[in-house]
Amino acid sequence: MAITEINEAKKLEEIIHEDRRKNQEENEQEKRQHSSREERLPIWVKKSVLDYEAELKTLQIELLKLQNHVKDEGLKVLMIFEGRDAAGKGGTIKRITEHLNPRGARVVALDKPSDVEKTQWYFQRYAQHLPSAGEIVLFDRSWYNRGGVEPVMGFCTEKEHNEFLNHVSGFEEMLVNSGIILFKFYFSVSKKEQARRFKERKTDPLKQYKLSPVDAKSQELWEKYTVAKYSMLRASHNGKSPWIIIRSDNKKKARINCIKHILASVQYPSKNKLNLRTSKKILIWGDEEIKMMEIELALNQNESITQKG
């Protein structure tokens, strides 16, 4: 009798433990499901943003193919990004390099020259960062500092500025003749949009590092920068090293059009049949910009004469 009761008790204990384990698994599953439900939040995203992200991803895949081709063929690619402060140069560079192999793609953003560099040939500090075979190098501002910021802010003499304008095309011709594939992008932002972006930088803790004393004077020196830009384009836009002007009030469109131009300019294996046509409202050649600036500067000059009269 006692043995029978003991056996029955063991069976009952096994059943209890079995049920307890089963309930525990069910509880864990319910917790996971509940946690999953908590993590999912309804978020409204503009269709234009989704379209932009999808197109950007497709273009970035093509950039990887381009980089592989550059490495395999030992090509040397140099991209120069110029423009006014807050024009969107850095954001475009970030999207271009986001998924590239950092071993074959470098971003060069030089600080102000040291005391030693001030005594060197002006192009010397930049020449040491030029691409080697199989490399893509992106300059976030370049030797064109002497074509824009330096003369406007008084960081160089008028003679140094004129010498730069006279010699820069010859320097770039040597680069192209040495086998470097050269892209020169000038990001053009409107005065109103620049002011808005400066205001945003002041309130965004992640963007405050971008503010500088030069930024503070960009708005009040707008006309001087315009004249310097015109002189720079006139002196350095030519068939071997042309300027590409990017209208960058809309950052997303500026990035997309810039990348499309790069991909359309270089042939590489397994290139997908993409629509690489750029928008004439966003991307134009330097000679077109020069013509439009000549008209604008002439109108401003006539208006100034009329006001004085």
mmCIF file of all heavy atoms in Angstrom, residues 227-261:
data_model
loop_
_atom_site.group_PDB
_atom_site.id
_atom_site.type_symbol
_atom_site.label_atom_id
_atom_site.label_comp_id
_atom_site.label_asym_id
_atom_site.label_seq_id
_atom_site.Cartn_x
_atom_site.Cartn_y
_atom_site.Cartn_z
ATOM 1 N N VAL A 227 31.760 88.062 -55.713
ATOM 2 C CA VAL A 227 32.787 88.567 -56.639
ATOM 3 C C VAL A 227 33.973 87.604 -56.682
ATOM 4 O O VAL A 227 34.520 87.306 -57.753
ATOM 5 C CB VAL A 227 33.247 89.983 -56.230
ATOM 6 C CG1 VAL A 227 34.426 90.432 -57.088
ATOM 7 C CG2 VAL A 227 32.095 90.970 -56.348
ATOM 8 N N ALA A 228 34.382 87.091 -55.504
ATOM 9 C CA ALA A 228 35.500 86.150 -55.442
ATOM 10 C C ALA A 228 35.162 84.849 -56.169
ATOM 11 O O ALA A 228 36.013 84.277 -56.876
ATOM 12 C CB ALA A 228 35.848 85.854 -53.981
ATOM 13 N N LYS A 229 33.925 84.393 -56.023
ATOM 14 C CA LYS A 229 33.484 83.180 -56.717
ATOM 15 C C LYS A 229 33.558 83.371 -58.223
ATOM 16 O O LYS A 229 34.039 82.496 -58.955
ATOM 17 C CB LYS A 229 32.046 82.845 -56.287
ATOM 18 C CG LYS A 229 31.400 81.723 -57.093
ATOM 19 C CD LYS A 229 29.914 81.587 -56.765
ATOM 20 C CE LYS A 229 29.224 80.609 -57.697
ATOM 21 N NZ LYS A 229 27.762 80.522 -57.424
ATOM 22 N N TYR A 230 33.092 84.524 -58.705
ATOM 23 C CA TYR A 230 33.111 84.800 -60.136
ATOM 24 C C TYR A 230 34.545 84.810 -60.673
ATOM 25 O O TYR A 230 34.833 84.182 -61.710
ATOM 26 C CB TYR A 230 32.437 86.149 -60.409
ATOM 27 C CG TYR A 230 32.555 86.611 -61.840
ATOM 28 C CD1 TYR A 230 31.848 85.979 -62.855
ATOM 29 C CD2 TYR A 230 33.391 87.677 -62.179
ATOM 30 C CE1 TYR A 230 31.965 86.400 -64.181
ATOM 31 C CE2 TYR A 230 33.513 88.103 -63.491
ATOM 32 C CZ TYR A 230 32.799 87.459 -64.483
ATOM 33 O OH TYR A 230 32.914 87.871 -65.794
ATOM 34 N N SER A 231 35.451 85.479 -59.965
ATOM 35 C CA SER A 231 36.851 85.528 -60.385
ATOM 36 C C SER A 231 37.460 84.126 -60.416
ATOM 37 O O SER A 231 38.225 83.782 -61.329
ATOM 38 C CB SER A 231 37.664 86.416 -59.437
ATOM 39 O OG SER A 231 37.167 87.730 -59.435
ATOM 40 N N MET A 232 37.119 83.319 -59.430
ATOM 41 C CA MET A 232 37.651 81.959 -59.337
ATOM 42 C C MET A 232 37.162 81.092 -60.495
ATOM 43 O O MET A 232 37.947 80.372 -61.130
ATOM 44 C CB MET A 232 37.217 81.340 -58.008
ATOM 45 C CG MET A 232 37.763 79.954 -57.737
ATOM 46 S SD MET A 232 37.010 79.222 -56.266
ATOM 47 C CE MET A 232 35.390 78.777 -56.901
ATOM 48 N N LEU A 233 35.868 81.170 -60.783
ATOM 49 C CA LEU A 233 35.309 80.372 -61.877
ATOM 50 C C LEU A 233 35.901 80.791 -63.216
ATOM 51 O O LEU A 233 36.230 79.952 -64.061
ATOM 52 C CB LEU A 233 33.785 80.501 -61.905
ATOM 53 C CG LEU A 233 33.012 79.902 -60.724
ATOM 54 C CD1 LEU A 233 31.512 80.125 -60.902
ATOM 55 C CD2 LEU A 233 33.292 78.414 -60.570
ATOM 56 N N ARG A 234 36.019 82.097 -63.438
ATOM 57 C CA ARG A 234 36.564 82.608 -64.691
ATOM 58 C C ARG A 234 38.001 82.122 -64.904
ATOM 59 O O ARG A 234 38.402 81.793 -66.024
ATOM 60 C CB ARG A 234 36.543 84.138 -64.687
ATOM 61 C CG ARG A 234 35.216 84.777 -65.049
ATOM 62 C CD ARG A 234 34.822 84.539 -66.501
ATOM 63 N NE ARG A 234 35.849 84.998 -67.443
ATOM 64 C CZ ARG A 234 35.907 86.217 -67.945
ATOM 65 N NH1 ARG A 234 34.979 87.115 -67.604
ATOM 66 N NH2 ARG A 234 36.863 86.544 -68.779
ATOM 67 N N ALA A 235 38.762 82.059 -63.823
ATOM 68 C CA ALA A 235 40.178 81.709 -63.940
ATOM 69 C C ALA A 235 40.434 80.208 -64.041
ATOM 70 O O ALA A 235 41.454 79.784 -64.590
ATOM 71 C CB ALA A 235 40.956 82.269 -62.746
ATOM 72 N N SER A 236 39.497 79.392 -63.531
ATOM 73 C CA SER A 236 39.819 77.966 -63.386
ATOM 74 C C SER A 236 38.838 77.003 -64.052
ATOM 75 O O SER A 236 39.013 75.786 -63.941
ATOM 76 C CB SER A 236 39.923 77.618 -61.891
ATOM 77 O OG SER A 236 38.715 77.942 -61.211
ATOM 78 N N HIS A 237 37.825 77.527 -64.750
ATOM 79 C CA HIS A 237 36.922 76.624 -65.470
ATOM 80 C C HIS A 237 37.446 76.444 -66.885
ATOM 81 O O HIS A 237 37.589 77.411 -67.636
ATOM 82 C CB HIS A 237 35.497 77.187 -65.502
ATOM 83 C CG HIS A 237 34.560 76.355 -66.340
ATOM 84 N ND1 HIS A 237 34.031 75.173 -65.906
ATOM 85 C CD2 HIS A 237 34.086 76.530 -67.612
ATOM 86 C CE1 HIS A 237 33.247 74.654 -66.842
ATOM 87 N NE2 HIS A 237 33.280 75.462 -67.895
ATOM 88 N N ASN A 238 37.744 75.214 -67.255
ATOM 89 C CA ASN A 238 38.223 74.920 -68.612
ATOM 90 C C ASN A 238 37.884 73.487 -68.970
ATOM 91 O O ASN A 238 37.350 72.733 -68.140
ATOM 92 C CB ASN A 238 39.738 75.172 -68.706
ATOM 93 C CG ASN A 238 40.522 74.383 -67.683
ATOM 94 O OD1 ASN A 238 40.626 73.166 -67.762
ATOM 95 N ND2 ASN A 238 41.076 75.082 -66.682
ATOM 96 N N GLY A 239 38.211 73.118 -70.188
ATOM 97 C CA GLY A 239 37.841 71.791 -70.679
ATOM 98 C C GLY A 239 38.483 70.644 -69.936
ATOM 99 O O GLY A 239 37.884 69.581 -69.783
ATOM 100 N N LYS A 240 39.714 70.826 -69.448
ATOM 101 C CA LYS A 240 40.414 69.739 -68.762
ATOM 102 C C LYS A 240 39.989 69.587 -67.310
ATOM 103 O O LYS A 240 40.003 68.484 -66.757
ATOM 104 C CB LYS A 240 41.932 69.961 -68.831
ATOM 105 C CG LYS A 240 42.538 69.560 -70.157
ATOM 106 C CD LYS A 240 44.022 69.256 -70.007
ATOM 107 C CE LYS A 240 44.555 68.571 -71.247
ATOM 108 N NZ LYS A 240 45.988 68.185 -71.106
ATOM 109 N N SER A 241 39.666 70.701 -66.673
ATOM 110 C CA SER A 241 39.240 70.645 -65.259
ATOM 111 C C SER A 241 38.036 71.565 -65.060
ATOM 112 O O SER A 241 38.160 72.636 -64.459
ATOM 113 C CB SER A 241 40.387 71.033 -64.327
ATOM 114 O OG SER A 241 40.882 72.315 -64.667
ATOM 115 N N PRO A 242 36.867 71.159 -65.585
ATOM 116 C CA PRO A 242 35.672 72.016 -65.512
ATOM 117 C C PRO A 242 35.052 72.027 -64.120
ATOM 118 O O PRO A 242 35.214 71.086 -63.336
ATOM 119 C CB PRO A 242 34.725 71.352 -66.516
ATOM 120 C CG PRO A 242 35.120 69.902 -66.485
ATOM 121 C CD PRO A 242 36.603 69.880 -66.277
ATOM 122 N N TRP A 243 34.340 73.104 -63.821
ATOM 123 C CA TRP A 243 33.567 73.198 -62.590
ATOM 124 C C TRP A 243 32.162 72.661 -62.830
ATOM 125 O O TRP A 243 31.554 72.911 -63.872
ATOM 126 C CB TRP A 243 33.457 74.642 -62.115
ATOM 127 C CG TRP A 243 34.632 75.132 -61.342
ATOM 128 C CD1 TRP A 243 35.617 75.959 -61.777
ATOM 129 C CD2 TRP A 243 34.940 74.817 -59.973
ATOM 130 N NE1 TRP A 243 36.531 76.188 -60.777
ATOM 131 C CE2 TRP A 243 36.141 75.507 -59.661
ATOM 132 C CE3 TRP A 243 34.320 74.045 -58.994
ATOM 133 C CZ2 TRP A 243 36.736 75.434 -58.399
ATOM 134 C CZ3 TRP A 243 34.917 73.966 -57.743
ATOM 135 C CH2 TRP A 243 36.097 74.648 -57.456
ATOM 136 N N ILE A 244 31.648 71.944 -61.841
ATOM 137 C CA ILE A 244 30.250 71.521 -61.829
ATOM 138 C C ILE A 244 29.571 72.267 -60.683
ATOM 139 O O ILE A 244 29.997 72.161 -59.526
ATOM 140 C CB ILE A 244 30.109 69.993 -61.614
ATOM 141 C CG1 ILE A 244 30.854 69.228 -62.715
ATOM 142 C CG2 ILE A 244 28.638 69.592 -61.576
ATOM 143 C CD1 ILE A 244 30.335 69.486 -64.111
ATOM 144 N N ILE A 245 28.534 73.023 -61.002
ATOM 145 C CA ILE A 245 27.827 73.805 -59.990
ATOM 146 C C ILE A 245 26.605 73.016 -59.518
ATOM 147 O O ILE A 245 25.807 72.534 -60.330
ATOM 148 C CB ILE A 245 27.363 75.169 -60.557
ATOM 149 C CG1 ILE A 245 28.523 75.859 -61.285
ATOM 150 C CG2 ILE A 245 26.788 76.034 -59.448
ATOM 151 C CD1 ILE A 245 29.728 76.155 -60.438
ATOM 152 N N ILE A 246 26.480 72.879 -58.208
ATOM 153 C CA ILE A 246 25.360 72.149 -57.600
ATOM 154 C C ILE A 246 24.501 73.135 -56.814
ATOM 155 O O ILE A 246 24.960 73.742 -55.846
ATOM 156 C CB ILE A 246 25.844 71.038 -56.641
ATOM 157 C CG1 ILE A 246 26.859 70.110 -57.318
ATOM 158 C CG2 ILE A 246 24.653 70.249 -56.104
ATOM 159 C CD1 ILE A 246 26.282 69.152 -58.296
ATOM 160 N N ARG A 247 23.249 73.327 -57.229
ATOM 161 C CA ARG A 247 22.308 74.141 -56.457
ATOM 162 C C ARG A 247 21.903 73.334 -55.218
ATOM 163 O O ARG A 247 21.285 72.272 -55.338
ATOM 164 C CB ARG A 247 21.071 74.467 -57.291
ATOM 165 C CG ARG A 247 21.384 75.126 -58.624
ATOM 166 C CD ARG A 247 21.641 76.598 -58.444
ATOM 167 N NE ARG A 247 21.821 77.269 -59.725
ATOM 168 C CZ ARG A 247 22.871 77.999 -60.052
ATOM 169 N NH1 ARG A 247 23.844 78.159 -59.179
ATOM 170 N NH2 ARG A 247 22.963 78.573 -61.228
ATOM 171 N N SER A 248 22.240 73.835 -54.031
ATOM 172 C CA SER A 248 22.126 72.997 -52.835
ATOM 173 C C SER A 248 21.141 73.498 -51.787
ATOM 174 O O SER A 248 21.242 73.126 -50.620
ATOM 175 C CB SER A 248 23.509 72.836 -52.194
ATOM 176 O OG SER A 248 24.050 74.100 -51.858
ATOM 177 N N ASP A 249 20.180 74.326 -52.179
ATOM 178 C CA ASP A 249 19.142 74.708 -51.211
ATOM 179 C C ASP A 249 18.364 73.478 -50.746
ATOM 180 O O ASP A 249 17.914 73.406 -49.606
ATOM 181 C CB ASP A 249 18.187 75.727 -51.827
ATOM 182 C CG ASP A 249 18.728 77.150 -51.689
ATOM 183 O OD1 ASP A 249 19.907 77.301 -51.323
ATOM 184 O OD2 ASP A 249 17.976 78.104 -51.959
ATOM 185 N N ASN A 250 18.194 72.510 -51.652
ATOM 186 C CA ASN A 250 17.611 71.218 -51.294
ATOM 187 C C ASN A 250 18.761 70.215 -51.193
ATOM 188 O O ASN A 250 19.309 69.777 -52.202
ATOM 189 C CB ASN A 250 16.592 70.774 -52.349
ATOM 190 C CG ASN A 250 15.860 69.495 -51.952
ATOM 191 O OD1 ASN A 250 16.472 68.532 -51.487
ATOM 192 N ND2 ASN A 250 14.554 69.482 -52.130
ATOM 193 N N LYS A 251 19.144 69.879 -49.965
ATOM 194 C CA LYS A 251 20.318 69.042 -49.749
ATOM 195 C C LYS A 251 20.183 67.660 -50.385
ATOM 196 O O LYS A 251 21.144 67.141 -50.963
ATOM 197 C CB LYS A 251 20.581 68.880 -48.246
ATOM 198 C CG LYS A 251 21.089 70.125 -47.559
ATOM 199 C CD LYS A 251 21.381 69.833 -46.097
ATOM 200 C CE LYS A 251 21.930 71.053 -45.383
ATOM 201 N NZ LYS A 251 22.225 70.769 -43.957
ATOM 202 N N LYS A 252 19.011 67.074 -50.271
ATOM 203 C CA LYS A 252 18.826 65.710 -50.782
ATOM 204 C C LYS A 252 18.994 65.670 -52.299
ATOM 205 O O LYS A 252 19.675 64.792 -52.839
ATOM 206 C CB LYS A 252 17.450 65.172 -50.369
ATOM 207 C CG LYS A 252 17.306 64.921 -48.868
ATOM 208 C CD LYS A 252 15.942 64.315 -48.555
ATOM 209 C CE LYS A 252 15.807 63.954 -47.077
ATOM 210 N NZ LYS A 252 15.859 65.134 -46.208
ATOM 211 N N LYS A 253 18.381 66.622 -52.982
ATOM 212 C CA LYS A 253 18.507 66.661 -54.443
ATOM 213 C C LYS A 253 19.941 66.960 -54.856
ATOM 214 O O LYS A 253 20.428 66.432 -55.866
ATOM 215 C CB LYS A 253 17.553 67.708 -55.016
ATOM 216 C CG LYS A 253 16.079 67.310 -54.929
ATOM 217 C CD LYS A 253 15.184 68.372 -55.555
ATOM 218 C CE LYS A 253 13.714 67.949 -55.476
ATOM 219 N NZ LYS A 253 12.821 68.971 -56.085
ATOM 220 N N ALA A 254 20.618 67.794 -54.091
ATOM 221 C CA ALA A 254 22.014 68.115 -54.384
ATOM 222 C C ALA A 254 22.880 66.859 -54.295
ATOM 223 O O ALA A 254 23.722 66.598 -55.167
ATOM 224 C CB ALA A 254 22.513 69.179 -53.416
ATOM 225 N N ARG A 255 22.689 66.070 -53.248
ATOM 226 C CA ARG A 255 23.474 64.853 -53.068
ATOM 227 C C ARG A 255 23.234 63.862 -54.199
ATOM 228 O O ARG A 255 24.179 63.298 -54.765
ATOM 229 C CB ARG A 255 23.119 64.198 -51.729
ATOM 230 C CG ARG A 255 23.497 65.021 -50.515
ATOM 231 C CD ARG A 255 22.783 64.519 -49.280
ATOM 232 N NE ARG A 255 22.981 65.401 -48.131
ATOM 233 C CZ ARG A 255 22.239 65.360 -47.033
ATOM 234 N NH1 ARG A 255 21.240 64.484 -46.937
ATOM 235 N NH2 ARG A 255 22.481 66.191 -46.043
ATOM 236 N N ILE A 256 21.973 63.641 -54.513
ATOM 237 C CA ILE A 256 21.617 62.673 -55.555
ATOM 238 C C ILE A 256 22.219 63.077 -56.896
ATOM 239 O O ILE A 256 22.818 62.260 -57.611
ATOM 240 C CB ILE A 256 20.083 62.544 -55.673
ATOM 241 C CG1 ILE A 256 19.480 61.910 -54.411
ATOM 242 C CG2 ILE A 256 19.704 61.736 -56.913
ATOM 243 C CD1 ILE A 256 19.898 60.485 -54.154
ATOM 244 N N ASN A 257 22.093 64.342 -57.249
ATOM 245 C CA ASN A 257 22.596 64.802 -58.549
ATOM 246 C C ASN A 257 24.121 64.760 -58.607
ATOM 247 O O ASN A 257 24.691 64.445 -59.651
ATOM 248 C CB ASN A 257 22.085 66.215 -58.833
ATOM 249 C CG ASN A 257 20.675 66.225 -59.392
ATOM 250 O OD1 ASN A 257 20.477 66.228 -60.600
ATOM 251 N ND2 ASN A 257 19.681 66.212 -58.516
ATOM 252 N N CYS A 258 24.766 65.059 -57.511
ATOM 253 C CA CYS A 258 26.223 65.001 -57.460
ATOM 254 C C CYS A 258 26.716 63.569 -57.699
ATOM 255 O O CYS A 258 27.618 63.336 -58.514
ATOM 256 C CB CYS A 258 26.717 65.516 -56.117
ATOM 257 S SG CYS A 258 28.511 65.527 -55.947
ATOM 258 N N ILE A 259 26.122 62.614 -57.000
ATOM 259 C CA ILE A 259 26.524 61.207 -57.144
ATOM 260 C C ILE A 259 26.227 60.707 -58.552
ATOM 261 O O ILE A 259 27.033 59.980 -59.151
ATOM 262 C CB ILE A 259 25.835 60.331 -56.088
ATOM 263 C CG1 ILE A 259 26.268 60.760 -54.687
ATOM 264 C CG2 ILE A 259 26.168 58.854 -56.306
ATOM 265 C CD1 ILE A 259 25.523 60.058 -53.561
ATOM 266 N N LYS A 260 25.097 61.094 -59.095
ATOM 267 C CA LYS A 260 24.755 60.680 -60.461
ATOM 268 C C LYS A 260 25.801 61.157 -61.460
ATOM 269 O O LYS A 260 26.181 60.429 -62.381
ATOM 270 C CB LYS A 260 23.375 61.224 -60.845
ATOM 271 C CG LYS A 260 22.198 60.436 -60.291
ATOM 272 C CD LYS A 260 20.887 60.982 -60.813
ATOM 273 C CE LYS A 260 19.705 60.129 -60.383
ATOM 274 N NZ LYS A 260 18.420 60.643 -60.930
ATOM 275 N N HIS A 261 26.258 62.393 -61.291
ATOM 276 C CA HIS A 261 27.261 62.925 -62.208
ATOM 277 C C HIS A 261 28.559 62.118 -62.121
ATOM 278 O O HIS A 261 29.175 61.814 -63.158
ATOM 279 C CB HIS A 261 27.548 64.393 -61.891
ATOM 280 C CG HIS A 261 28.624 64.980 -62.754
ATOM 281 N ND1 HIS A 261 28.392 65.393 -64.044
ATOM 282 C CD2 HIS A 261 29.952 65.195 -62.508
ATOM 283 C CE1 HIS A 261 29.522 65.841 -64.571
ATOM 284 N NE2 HIS A 261 30.476 65.739 -63.658
#
